[in-house]
Amino acid sequence: MDLHDSPEDAAFRTEARSWLEDNLTGEFSHARGLGRMGLQHEGRQLRQAWEQRLGRDGWTCVGWPAEHGGRGASVSQQVIWNEEYVEADAPARINVMGEGLLGPTLIAYGTDEQQRRFLPGIRQGTELWCQGYSEPDAGSDLANVKTRAVRDGDEWVVTGQKVWTSYAQWADWCFVVCRTDPGSSRHKGLSYLLVPMDQPGVEVRPIRQVTGTSEFNEVFFDGARTTTDLVVGAVDDGWRVALATLAFERGVGLLGDVVGFRKELDHLLALARRTGRSRDPVLRQRLADAWIRLSILRMNTLRSLTGVDGPVAPPEASIAKLFWATWHRDLGELAMDVLGAGACVAEAFPYELGDLQRMFLFSRADTIYGGSNEIQHNIIGERVLGLPPEPKVAAKGAP
Ligand SMILES: Cc1cc2nc3c(=O)[nH]c(=O)nc-3n(C[C@H](O)[C@H](O)[C@H](O)COP(=O)(O)OP(=O)(O)OC[C@H]3O[C@@H](n4cnc5c(N)ncnc54)[C@H](O)[C@@H]3O)c2cc1C
């Protein structure tokens, strides 16, 4: 594998880097670093204005095909964009659900009318989206979804509860997996509905996290309405569409994350040197191990993206998810050990958490969202290694 940029990719990198340098200026210089892990609530207005600046100059949705308003960028160029973006310390993107999940799903499964209606708002950063999948009894076991939608003339009426819905407090729209065939169970009889959030039948309740901030929410649908033309794919065939969305969940963005991980590790290494903790032989080994495993993660991700033109295949996606989530959780623990007793002390009044403390706390979520470590182990065991399947336990309330 040649890890150097081709001449075209090098030109693309220069263009991306200089656009970021030119535009992270003026009011947007204050946006640098906003919305980092554990601080996702920061700077909504400024970050949305930044999203619109990106959209104006064609730097959102770079991997979408040109016919849908993207740049049609190759996988290597999408990787480059993500790397440069993180390297420039640009603010965390605010419409990841729209750009990364719903947009590609609409391109694959949406009607022409749905594409015309929704893709421009995602590209231009004017309409924000959230993902309404998980429920109190349907997380890893998504097929246990209970939220239901009942047809009423030209509309669907949605009733039920979603949970852990990231960015619902800001979203204009939610893509909701719900049960449209009342007699159905498991993955049959589900549909994939696009539901407007700003209506009386939708209540968003932020969940306060251990970091003290609220990135995700409970969402209650109580007679919420959406029109019948806003089902993606066929009615009662939403499972297929829902799985397609999940397949887009990780991929080229991971190499951008790797750049962010490297910055966190560099910060930790500098701290360990400054405080003399790097002389502790055990910490020293763990720091070296973190560095080595991060290099492996980068190489493996590059390898799995080589020759890929779409979502990364499930076994590789599972291996990557398991590896990076575990690496990052371990980094959080290592950071606390490097801080030593200081890890237990918040910074000055009003007792703000430091970056490393926040990273440690938030990284506990990494091995849960996007498919928990246990679920990734199951996928690798069953689909890659051909081991006997997990015994299936009937879900609560399932027939
Ligand atoms: C930061 C964050 C953001 C999120 N954002 C969103 C969002 O925007 N939209 C959305 O819909 N959801 C979101 N989620 C929810 C996420 O998808 C679920 O938390 C995840 O699927 C796990 O589901 P659960 O929390 O219900 O846990 P459960 O599924 O109840 O699992 C509990 C424990 O049991 C284990 N377990 C479950 N089933 C098995 C099995 N078959 N074999 C072995 N072990 C098993 C799990 O690994 C876990 O340790 C988010 C979660 C987090 C943490």
Side-chain angles (χ1 to χ4, degrees), residues 97 131 133-134 139-140 164 166 216 365 368-369 372 374-375 378:
M97 302 294 181
Q131 177 184 26
Y133 277 34
S134 303
S140 307
W164 315 126
S166 305
F216 45 48
I368 301 172
Y369 69 85
S372 69
E374 291 76 16
I375 295 300
N378 285 351

Side-chain angles (χ1 to χ4, degrees), residues 81-394:
W81 168 243
N82 280 295
E83 286 179 342
E84 291 299 323
Y85 192 88
V86 176
E87 200 64 72
D89 207 19
R93 298 290 302 279
I94 206 170
N95 204 12
V96 278
M97 302 294 181
E99 171 167 342
L101 300 185
L102 183 71
T105 306
L106 284 182
I107 290 171
Y109 288 96
T111 60
D112 291 350
E113 183 43 38
Q114 288 168 350
Q115 293 172 354
R116 262 196 305 276
R117 164 68 187 83
F118 292 113
L119 297 183
I122 296 174
R123 274 195 329 263
Q124 293 154 11
T126 49
E127 281 183 333
L128 305 183
W129 285 85
C130 62
Q131 177 184 26
Y133 277 34
S134 303
E135 299 184 359
D137 281 327
S140 307
D141 187 19
L142 182 60
N144 200 34
V145 156
K146 298 273 193 334
T147 295
R148 61 182 196 281
V150 176
R151 183 97 187 237
D152 179 23
D154 289 343
E155 292 186 323
W156 288 103
V157 182
V158 185
T159 306
Q161 184 198 343
K162 297 290 175 181
V163 71
W164 315 126
T165 323
S166 305
Y167 308 109
Q169 73 276 34
W170 296 342
D172 303 290
W173 288 86
C174 184
F175 45 101
V176 180
V177 175
C178 53
R179 201 159 289 287
T180 38
D181 176 354
S184 65
S185 69
R186 308 301 299 159
H187 56 280
K188 298 200 177 92
L190 298 171
S191 297
Y192 191 106
L193 261 58
L194 309 179
V195 180
M197 294 292 280
D198 185 13
Q199 57 168 312
V202 178
E203 188 192 343
V204 176
R205 292 189 204 156
I207 297 173
R208 192 173 153 87
Q209 295 160 209
V210 68
T211 48
T213 59
S214 295
E215 175 232 349
F216 45 48
N217 308 268
E218 293 178 291
V219 178
F220 295 86
F221 296 103
D222 184 10
R225 288 180 175 261
T226 194
T227 51
T228 48
D229 55 334
L230 295 186
V231 179
V232 184
V235 172
D236 295 341
D237 192 26
W239 183 248
R240 207 156 52 95
V241 185
L243 290 192
T245 301
L246 290 180
F248 291 115
E249 198 150 20
R250 281 270 149 187
V252 291
L254 182 52
L255 277 162
D257 293 343
V258 170
V259 175
F261 293 162
R262 203 206 63 223
K263 284 184 164 190
E264 287 174 345
L265 179 56
D266 286 348
H267 176 49
L268 189 59
L269 285 166
L271 178 77
R273 285 196 196 96
R274 206 169 56 242
T275 55
R277 300 285 285 162
S278 58
R279 284 197 294 273
D280 176 308
V282 175
L283 286 180
R284 219 180 146 75
Q285 291 228 10
R286 287 171 63 197
L287 287 163
D289 184 59
W291 190 92
I292 291 164
R293 283 163 63 209
L294 184 59
S295 306
I296 293 171
L297 174 61
R298 179 162 189 275
M299 296 295 169
N300 244 336
T301 310
L302 282 168
R303 190 181 55 169
S304 65
L305 289 172
T306 303
V308 165
D309 185 19
V312 177
E316 266 143 346
S318 286
I319 293 164
K321 168 77 208 321
L322 185 61
F323 198 97
W324 77 254
T326 308
W327 182 87
H328 201 231
R329 187 191 59 192
D330 292 351
L331 186 76
E333 290 175 7
L334 177 55
M336 295 305 95
D337 290 340
V338 168
L339 281 173
C344 304
V345 184
E347 282 174 13
F349 189 82
Y351 307 121
E352 281 293 321
L353 295 172
D355 283 351
L356 292 176
Q357 290 163 323
R358 201 171 270 117
M359 187 265 281
F360 163 66
L361 292 172
F362 197 85
S363 67
R364 309 308 295 185
D366 290 334
T367 54
I368 301 172
Y369 69 85
S372 69
N373 270 18
E374 291 76 16
I375 295 300
Q376 307 304 341
H377 276 126
N378 285 351
I379 295 172
I380 295 165
E382 293 171 24
R383 296 198 215 152
V384 183
L385 304 176
L387 299 175
E390 282 282 300
K392 298 280 178 258
V393 180

